[in-house]
Amino acid sequence: MKPFTLIPNVTNIDFLRLRGASFVVSIILLAVSVGAIAFNGFNFALDFTGGTVTELRFEQPVDVNDARKRLADAGYGSAEVLTFGSGNDLLVRLQSGEEGADGDLETNDRTARQITNAVSTPDNPGTVMRSDFVGPQVGKELALNGIWALIFVVVGFLVYISTRFERKFAIAAVLTSLQDSVIVVGWFALSGHEFDLTVLAGILSVVGFSINDTIVVFDRIRENFRTMRTSPSAIINASINQTLSRTIITSVASFLTVFALYIYGGGSLQGMAEAMMIGVVIGTMSSIFVASPLLTIGFLKVTKQDLMPKARDEEALARRP
């Protein structure tokens, strides 16, 4: 019995024919993302803005939605409430500027007691395990470290791909990955969803996923050029088709993994899972419709000189079309 094949092993889709429409869609998405970042800004979490963190422990598991409602009734409507551990522990965050989140020790203790009283019930009392103030300076340092981490990743990939491939491939791969990460960041600016450190981690993961997906296609382009006797455009198109099955299967598996994390990982991981889900979709589309087609236009257009080792294959290079 023949095995079930979801995607044909051999496809012959002319992806380069769609490059014009692909570039237009990419430019529109980038423009919307940059506009949202410029005009909407971000809903930064306490990680970046500073505030108080109160950790409570209860005798029985706590209903998070009921805890949020009780805190809202007590005047803490914007408090972030997360559960962790066995479900008996709650993490309550108040951002700077909210009542009780100004960093004064006495006020901080009083706020922790009020939060505990609001969430506790007669049959499930809570106990304050810790209550700390996180200053805005810490948030600035975290934001700066995040920017340095992104620069480190981008420069590292640029050096790595330049060494492994040609400089044109490195530029195309990094431009595509930056586009993917900007679109993901733009989504958080547009939607107003909270931007915290887990989201930043998710965006860095998106850069890695996008680069990895693109390198697989670039590897196939390099291999095909040494065996196929046709134009660079035809080789690029054939390479995208040959890796299409692998690309889609890997992306679907990655998406299902982070989707499960989004559903069952709890509120503290939802931001990261959301960033990665969007990044997997955008990264997959860009590796097929943007990264390789970039190698056919402008100064990034590859030639046989870019793809053939010059030192040992001069004669073979001269025989190519």
Side-chain angles (χ1 to χ4, degrees):
M1 187 174 78
K2 294 180 66 175
F4 174 70
T5 303
L6 182 63
I7 302 169
N9 292 327
V10 179
T11 58
N12 189 27
I13 303 172
D14 189 359
F15 289 104
L16 294 185
R17 187 180 178 186
L18 303 173
R19 61 187 169 188
S22 305
F23 292 151
V24 170
V25 172
S26 294
I27 291 171
I28 291 174
L29 289 176
L30 273 177
V32 171
S33 300
V34 173
I37 294 169
F39 295 106
N40 284 8
F42 297 103
N43 176 21
F44 285 116
L46 179 142
D47 299 337
F48 297 102
T49 62
T52 61
V53 180
T54 303
E55 186 178 317
L56 307 174
R57 177 161 295 169
F58 294 83
E59 296 180 357
Q60 302 171 28
V62 185
D63 184 332
V64 176
N65 292 326
D66 183 59
R68 290 195 182 107
K69 183 176 181 302
R70 288 171 174 274
L71 285 170
D73 293 340
Y76 299 105
S78 57
E80 302 170 29
V81 184
L82 304 173
T83 183
F84 62 99
S86 60
N88 292 27
D89 298 309
L90 277 187
L91 196 68
V92 180
R93 296 174 171 175
L94 296 177
Q95 291 192 2
S96 288
E98 296 181 55
E99 184 180 357
D102 57 3
D104 177 76
L105 183 60
E106 184 178 345
T107 305
N108 193 33
D109 290 341
R110 185 174 66 251
T111 302
R113 289 195 299 272
Q114 291 174 348
I115 288 174
T116 307
N117 292 335
V119 181
S120 298
T121 59
D123 58 339
N124 192 20
T127 305
V128 178
M129 303 305 294
R130 70 181 180 95
S131 183
D132 300 322
F133 177 77
V134 181
Q137 182 61 34
V138 176
K140 290 179 182 177
E141 291 176 2
L142 289 173
L144 187 61
N145 289 338
I147 293 172
W148 278 115
L150 184 60
I151 293 173
F152 177 80
V153 169
V154 170
V155 172
F157 280 131
L158 192 61
V159 172
Y160 167 67
I161 301 174
S162 296
T163 305
R164 184 170 177 177
F165 299 96
E166 292 289 331
R167 188 177 55 186
K168 292 177 181 177
F169 286 78
I171 295 174
V174 170
L175 285 178
T176 306
S177 297
L178 285 177
Q179 173 217 256
D180 298 343
S181 58
V182 169
I183 292 174
V184 175
V185 170
W187 163 254
F188 281 89
L190 188 65
S191 65
H193 291 177
E194 190 175 74
F195 194 103
D196 57 17
L197 283 178
T198 65
V199 173
L200 184 61
I203 292 169
L204 292 176
S205 301
V206 168
V207 176
F209 175 86
S210 178
I211 285 282
N212 182 62
D213 224 27
T214 303
I215 284 178
V216 170
V217 183
F218 285 180
D219 254 336
R220 185 58 61 91
I221 292 173
R222 186 175 57 177
E223 293 169 8
N224 282 339
F225 192 81
R226 295 173 181 176
T227 57
M228 296 175 67
R229 295 294 182 266
T230 182
S231 66
S233 294
I235 292 172
I236 291 172
N237 217 16
S239 302
I240 300 173
N241 277 283
Q242 291 170 6
T243 54
L244 185 63
S245 176
R246 177 266 173 204
T247 299
I248 293 177
I249 290 173
T250 302
S251 300
V252 169
S254 301
F255 184 88
L256 291 177
T257 302
V258 291
F259 183 66
L261 195 64
Y262 180 82
I263 298 295
Y264 300 108
S268 59
L269 295 178
Q270 277 192 348
M272 183 179 72
E274 183 178 341
M276 292 182 68
M277 283 193 298
I278 298 170
V280 167
V281 174
I282 297 296
T284 303
M285 300 301 289
S286 68
S287 69
I288 297 173
F289 293 102
V290 179
S292 298
L294 272 178
L295 299 174
T296 64
I297 62 169
F299 73 98
L300 293 177
K301 185 175 181 179
V302 294
T303 62
K304 57 184 181 180
Q305 285 81 6
D306 296 318
L307 294 165
M308 201 73 172
K310 299 180 179 60
R312 61 181 182 180
D313 293 310
E314 289 291 342
E315 293 182 3
L317 183 65
R319 291 197 298 270
R320 285 186 169 272

